[in-house]
Amino acid sequence: MASALDEDTQRSIAEGRDTAKAFLRSIQKDLQKVFLVFLAGFILTFWALRVYIWDWLRDVTESEMSPAVAAEADIIATTPFEVILLQAKIGLILGAIIAIPPLIYVTRDELRARGMWPQSPVARWKLAGLVLLGAGLFAAGVSYGVFAFFPLMFGFLAEFGLEANIQPTYGIVMWTEFIVFLSLSFGLAGQMPLLVTGLSYAEIVQYETFRDKWRYAVVAIFVFGAFFSPPDPFTQLLWAFPLTALYGFSLYLAKVVVTAKRSSDQIDVLGAVRNHWNVVGGVTVLGGALVYGFYEYGGRTAVNGVLRLAGSSRRFLAPGEGLGVDPETALAMYGVAWALAFAVVATLWAVYTDLDTTSAGYQYGDPTAVDVGGLNAAGVRAAPADAFEEMEEEESLALAQAAMDDDDPEKAQAILDRFDEVNDGDGEEGDGDASEGNGAASAGGGGDDADDGGLMGSVRNRGSRAGSTFLAEFTDGDGEEAEDDIGGYYTDLKFILDSLRSGSFRIVAVFAVVMTAAFTWLYLGGLGTVRADLERRVPAEVEGGIEIITLHPVEALVFMVKFSVILGVFAALPMVLYYAWPALRERGFVAGRIRQVYLWAGALGAGMVGGFALGYAYIAPGLIGWLVTDARLADMIITYQVSDFLWLVIYTTLGIGFLADIPIGMVLANKAGVPYRVFRERWREATIATMLIAAVFTPADVITMFLATVPLMAAYGLGIAALFLVTFGGRRNLSPPAEFVGR
């Protein structure tokens, strides 16, 4: 059998396999040492989790809970081997991470021999400083999450759950993963200064972009916090304010580094500190003094008083409270941490102050004012794109010629490359200018200069050729043929979406108002009201009612958000239909005037409300009562996970309304121009689509997927039967078929 791979690919794979074998053989004796490091990390992690970590995390979880709430909170294992498997999984991950540095160390010679090691040496103190900075920022982010954010968050979640009569009983896997992943997110957020500075320094993202778009960054931080933290303003501010301050610090650090690069200056941290030792020292002392004064001179009491007046139950704890550290030691730790933070900011100020930002004509904050002629080759490549966007082609050629006259061909090449990169796609005009540039370069001198002028000419020609893109090859004369090739669906969809622009604000407003109202109602007690009302319908034989627990800390909040979004979407659909109806009618998808929208909205709304009332009054309590009674008769403890219980309620209430809307919607669609035969002949596609929807919106279980699919398809069949009756077997539709409407 012939291989599907060509000979070159097979040869490359064989060479790679041989290289990997040789590489492993060469480090075989050292792999044993790496494995021992991995094994030590695994065993230590496993032992620490068993002896210390679980109890410590439990203390962190309950540190902000009142005694009554802490007594109700619990951590459980839902399977016999859950705890030991979780410890093994965490041990494997941490053991592998610990083994990575020694693995890199023992393979450095082999990597260097194969050209996979950095050729330009990096000063060890720079590398060590970068590693220490990254590790320190990561540790600071994780510490903030563990010691400040998590205690307040768990205190809120447990209290909120008990108010809704939901037991805060967390599964150990979900609880641990929640703490670990959110801690990692705080640690990674702490790397923001390195990320912003690295992207700015490498010109992957211009510093000016980070600086000018700071408003979007702040909004994104608050939105992210609104979704991934409890809906408590204090907790959201506790999330957003530190990240906003960190973004500001990242901008300032990037400003220092980028300024040094663009001005071709060197950063001398120690020299800057010596030159401004009084400012750095004073700011450092100020940072420690502020923390000391906050705790010792009534600052904490004043802030707690403001929180009390605002109705918040959150409080600033005394130093060391909840950490197991005496107040004096804790206060000293806080003071040192804040003093170091202030010292870092002051040091950055001193470094930036000592940078020479004027010798090269560099005006920071105005990229177009950069004097490209005063920069070296590295400075030209790092200069912002704005400086070349304002530049004429003749000016770039003159600057390149001046660089050639100064015997700096690298700089000349860099100027032309940057101009081509920023002004790519000038076409034939660029070729003509390039030819003139060649002549100017040649005329500027003889011999070597002429050769260099030819080099610049080749650069210009290359840039001009880049201006012709492959997209032009796919452009038709009038564009109609391309539209026909894709059936015109894209054009129809774009036309319909464009028609929604005039009402986009109203659509979003309706969605936001309904979603906010639903979430607020659930948050302020609606969740507990629904749960208590349904529990009253449980048969009297079941003593103690139903116990509902949250295996995941934010499970109840996630349900509230999802349910609120569903209601918001349903409320906005009539508005979408109203604004899209003229475009749908013009494209031939529907028939009738816009007043048909009122019929659609009224009929579908009535079907949803009627089905919901039927489900809430009879179907939901009947089904839940039957399930509870059946479990109680089998001597089972009735404990439901909050998301499963509440989604069962939704499926048996709103789900009944949705089922009622299926045949109603089919009749309305027939009146709008969709013929009966389409529904009858497309039942296979409808079944597949229904199964896909059920797979997404039901729990990850095949049985529940079919339990949702069967009623939906039954409603679809009922709709076909109703259409058969009202259309006399398809011989007379309520409206002409859509393909003939408006054509």
Side-chain angles (χ1 to χ4, degrees):
M1 179 182 296
S3 174
L5 303 176
D6 55 47
E7 295 182 1
D8 292 339
T9 304
Q10 294 182 39
R11 189 181 303 110
S12 300
I13 294 175
E15 291 176 355
R17 184 168 55 247
D18 295 339
T19 301
K21 290 180 180 178
F23 181 80
L24 292 175
R25 282 196 301 268
S26 63
I27 63 171
Q28 186 173 6
K29 62 180 184 302
D30 295 319
L31 284 179
Q32 298 175 358
K33 303 174 184 177
V34 175
F35 178 75
L36 291 177
V37 174
F38 162 77
L39 188 61
F42 171 79
I43 294 175
L44 287 174
T45 302
F46 196 95
W47 173 79
L49 284 168
R50 191 174 187 85
V51 178
Y52 298 108
I53 303 299
W54 294 135
D55 293 336
W56 177 67
L57 290 179
R58 179 68 180 262
D59 293 339
V60 170
T61 301
E62 297 179 353
S63 60
E64 275 291 303
M65 297 180 186
S66 64
V69 175
E72 297 292 335
D74 202 3
I75 312 296
I76 65 172
T78 57
T79 61
F81 298 100
E82 197 168 29
V83 177
I84 192 170
L85 290 177
L86 179 61
Q87 292 177 173
K89 183 190 300 184
I90 296 175
L92 289 172
I93 295 174
L94 291 182
I97 294 175
I98 294 172
I100 289 176
L103 177 63
I104 295 176
Y105 179 79
V106 301
T107 59
R108 65 191 186 283
D109 294 333
E110 296 298 328
L111 293 173
R112 186 179 293 111
R114 289 168 171 80
M116 303 170 63
W117 193 264
Q119 298 300 318
S120 57
V122 180
R124 292 187 177 182
W125 71 268
K126 292 183 179 180
L127 186 61
L130 188 64
V131 172
L132 288 176
L133 178 60
L137 291 171
F138 186 85
V142 173
S143 299
Y144 174 79
V146 171
F147 296 115
F149 188 77
F150 285 135
L152 294 172
M153 187 175 190
F154 277 114
F156 167 82
L157 292 174
E159 186 175 350
F160 167 75
L162 287 175
E163 289 177 355
N165 204 13
I166 298 173
Q167 193 75 16
T169 305
Y170 307 135
I172 189 170
V173 173
M174 295 182 182
W175 171 69
T176 304
E177 289 179 348
F178 177 75
I179 294 177
V180 169
F181 286 122
L182 205 54
S183 297
L184 287 176
S185 71
F186 276 111
L188 294 176
Q191 306 301 306
M192 189 187 300
L194 292 180
L195 178 64
V196 173
T197 303
L199 293 176
S200 301
Y201 184 83
E203 296 292 326
I204 297 175
V205 179
Q206 294 286 344
Y207 162 76
E208 287 76 17
T209 301
F210 288 115
R211 182 196 62 192
D212 297 338
K213 304 298 183 183
W214 68 269
R215 295 176 181 84
Y216 299 98
V218 172
V219 171
I221 289 172
F222 274 88
V223 170
F224 190 84
F227 276 99
F228 293 95
S229 66
D232 175 35
F234 183 75
T235 309
Q236 291 184 11
L237 294 179
L238 198 66
W239 165 281
F241 276 0
L243 291 183
T244 303
L246 191 63
Y247 187 79
F249 174 75
S250 304
L251 285 181
Y252 195 79
L253 182 61
K255 177 181 180 180
V256 173
V257 174
V258 172
T259 300
K261 180 178 181 180
R262 291 176 180 176
S263 62
S264 302
D265 207 345
Q266 296 294 325
I267 294 179
D268 185 4
V269 178
L270 296 179
V273 173
R274 283 195 300 268
N275 294 337
H276 304 277
W277 64 269
N278 53 342
V279 176
V280 175
V283 171
T284 302
V285 173
L286 177 63
L290 287 176
V291 175
Y292 182 83
F294 178 80
Y295 284 102
E296 292 295 323
Y297 293 99
R300 184 176 70 88
T301 304
V303 172
N304 286 340
V306 173
L307 292 175
R308 190 179 297 107
L309 290 175
S312 174
S313 60
R314 310 293 168 230
R315 299 292 182 269
F316 271 96
L317 301 178
E321 187 176 347
L323 301 179
V325 181
D326 62 275
E328 292 77 11
T329 303
L331 186 58
M333 293 169 55
Y334 297 165
V336 170
W338 279 98
L340 290 176
F342 275 58
V344 170
V345 176
T347 301
L348 287 176
W349 171 85
V351 170
Y352 179 73
T353 302
D354 282 358
L355 288 176
D356 183 8
T357 59
T358 59
S359 61
Y362 182 79
Q363 298 293 327
Y364 199 86
D366 184 8
T368 61
V370 175
D371 182 10
V372 177
L375 302 176
N376 58 16
V380 170
R381 294 191 182 96
D386 299 20
F388 294 90
E389 288 178 351
E390 301 293 330
M391 185 182 295
E392 298 293 335
E393 187 163 12
E394 292 79 4
E395 183 181 354
S396 70
L397 293 173
L399 290 171
Q401 179 61 49
M404 296 301 302
D405 294 339
D406 293 335
D407 196 21
D408 193 351
E410 183 181 2
K411 177 179 175 180
Q413 184 80 24
I415 291 173
L416 294 176
D417 286 344
R418 288 287 288 145
F419 184 83
D420 284 341
E421 177 185 346
V422 175
N423 299 279
D424 190 16
D426 289 339
E428 297 179 357
E429 182 181 351
D431 292 339
D433 293 340
S435 301
E436 295 176 9
N438 294 344
S442 301
D448 295 339
D449 286 350
D451 294 337
D452 292 329
L455 173 63
M456 291 191 293
S458 66
V459 173
R460 301 298 305 133
N461 291 332
R462 183 191 61 199
S464 300
R465 286 195 302 271
S468 59
T469 65
F470 71 95
L471 292 176
E473 299 176 6
F474 296 92
T475 304
D476 296 35
D478 54 4
E480 295 180 358
E481 183 178 350
E483 180 179 338
D484 293 339
D485 289 341
I486 61 175
Y489 292 121
Y490 170 77
T491 304
D492 290 341
L493 182 61
K494 184 176 183 301
F495 181 77
I496 294 170
L497 292 178
D498 288 341
S499 68
L500 297 176
R501 291 183 179 178
S502 60
S504 58
F505 178 79
R506 294 182 179 88
I507 294 172
V508 173
V510 169
F511 168 80
V513 168
V514 173
M515 186 190 72
T516 303
F519 182 86
T520 303
W521 176 73
L522 291 171
Y523 173 68
L524 295 179
L527 196 64
T529 301
V530 173
R531 189 239 191 238
D533 183 65
L534 289 173
E535 191 177 43
R536 285 197 297 268
R537 305 165 189 265
V538 174
E541 295 83 6
V542 181
E543 298 178 359
I546 306 170
E547 182 180 356
I548 300 179
I549 63 174
T550 54
L551 291 181
H552 194 282
V554 294
E555 190 172 5
L557 291 177
V558 170
F559 166 80
M560 290 162 54
V561 171
K562 289 183 177 180
F563 179 69
S564 302
V565 169
I566 290 175
L567 290 185
V569 170
F570 183 78
L573 280 178
M575 297 287 292
V576 173
L577 193 61
Y578 178 83
Y579 286 103
W581 191 274
L584 291 170
R585 186 179 66 242
E586 182 174 339
R587 290 290 173 170
F589 291 106
V590 296
R593 296 299 175 184
I594 199 169
R595 61 176 177 269
Q596 294 287 336
V597 176
Y598 305 117
L599 174 63
W600 280 60
L604 293 176
M608 178 63 71
V609 172
F612 171 79
L614 176 66
Y616 191 82
Y618 299 103
I619 298 177
L623 179 60
I624 294 173
W626 174 75
L627 293 173
V628 172
T629 304
D630 186 61
R632 187 66 185 86
L633 292 176
D635 291 329
M636 296 181 182
I637 299 175
I638 307 170
T639 302
Y640 292 148
Q641 190 174 346
V642 61
S643 60
D644 292 339
F645 177 80
L646 293 176
W647 281 119
L648 175 63
V649 174
I650 297 302
Y651 290 147
T652 53
T653 55
L654 290 179
I656 303 301
F658 183 75
L659 291 176
D661 274 347
I662 291 177
I664 295 175
M666 294 170 66
V667 173
L668 292 173
N670 183 261
K671 183 174 178 58
V674 181
Y676 162 77
R677 60 178 177 80
V678 171
F679 292 107
R680 187 192 62 197
E681 297 173 358
R682 300 292 184 180
W683 67 270
R684 297 177 182 84
E685 291 85 344
T687 302
I688 295 174
T690 302
M691 294 183 68
L692 290 175
I693 294 173
V696 173
F697 291 100
T698 60
D701 187 280
V702 176
I703 296 178
T704 55
M705 183 182 73
F706 280 104
L707 287 177
T709 302
V710 171
L712 290 172
M713 290 311 300
Y716 186 83
L718 182 62
I720 292 179
L723 282 178
F724 181 84
L725 294 177
V726 300
T727 62
F728 303 104
R731 290 187 292 271
R732 180 181 176 277
N733 291 293
L734 299 180
S735 178
E739 60 225 33
F740 300 110
V741 175
R743 298 293 176 92

